[in-house]
Amino acid sequence: MSDLLFWILAPALVACALGVVLSRNLYRAAYWLAGALVVTAVFYLALTAPLIAAVQILLYTGGVLTLVVYALVITASSDDSGRWRRPLPAAVLSLLVFAVLLSAVSGVGDGGAVGGLDDGRAIGVDLFSRYLVPFELLSVLLLGAIFGALAIARREEDRP
C-alpha cells in the first residue's frame, strides 16, 4: 500500500470512528459506523486482500449494520439523552485497553505476508465440505441471537 493512500484513508477512518463515538443520535452513529466499515474494506483492498474486503463489505457493512438499524427501528430508541454517557470513565477504560493492545502488539515482529487468502476458492471448498456442520451451527446460533434480541427489545406493555 502506498504511503499516500494510507495517509488519505487513516484520517477518514479516524473521523468516522470519532463520528460513531461522539454522535448523540443513534441513527447518525450507525451511518458513521457504515463509513468506518467501508474505509476498513478499502484498507483491505489496498493491502491486496480482496477476499477479506468482500467479507468486510458483505458481512459487516451489509449484515451487521442492517441488524443495528433494524434494532434501532424496532426499539424506536433514537433517544438523544445523555443519561448513559460517562466520558471520563470511558476515556480511562479506552486508554487502558489501548495500552494493553499496544503492549501485546509491540512484541510481535514483522513476519511478512503469509498468503493463502488471495484465492477464495480454497476457503469456499473447505467451508462447504470440512466445516459445513460448524458453519450451519453458527447460522442457527446467529438466528437464535436475533430472536433473543427481539424478545428483549419488546416493550413491557407488549408482553403477555
Side-chain angles (χ1 to χ4, degrees):
M1 173 173 30
S2 72
D3 289 343
L4 177 65
L5 184 61
F6 174 81
W7 288 110
I8 291 171
L9 292 176
L13 184 59
V14 169
C16 288
L18 285 174
V20 171
V21 174
L22 297 176
S23 181
R24 292 196 177 268
N25 188 328
L26 293 176
Y27 292 106
R28 287 192 181 127
Y31 290 131
W32 283 111
L33 179 63
L37 293 172
V38 168
V39 171
T40 304
V42 175
F43 262 116
Y44 291 141
L45 279 176
L47 292 170
T48 63
L51 178 66
I52 297 175
V55 168
Q56 175 77 19
I57 292 291
L58 291 174
L59 186 67
Y60 290 108
T61 308
V64 171
L65 198 62
T66 301
L67 283 175
V68 167
V69 171
Y70 182 70
L72 289 175
V73 169
I74 290 294
T75 60
S77 56
S78 63
D79 185 17
D80 292 341
S81 68
R83 66 181 180 151
W84 296 106
R85 294 183 184 263
R86 308 258 192 271
L88 185 62
V92 169
L93 184 62
S94 297
L95 288 175
L96 180 69
V97 168
F98 180 74
V100 168
L101 289 175
L102 185 64
S103 68
V105 171
S106 64
V108 176
D110 185 22
V114 177
L117 288 179
D118 292 333
D119 184 20
R121 185 167 193 237
I123 294 172
V125 168
D126 278 346
L127 184 64
F128 291 110
S129 61
R130 260 186 8 193
Y131 300 111
L132 182 63
V133 174
F135 180 75
E136 290 301 324
L137 288 175
L138 181 63
S139 66
V140 171
L141 176 70
L142 289 174
L143 186 64
I146 291 170
F147 286 143
L150 287 174
I152 290 171
R154 286 179 43 187
R155 297 181 189 195
E156 289 295 326
E157 63 266 9
D158 293 341
R159 293 188 182 170

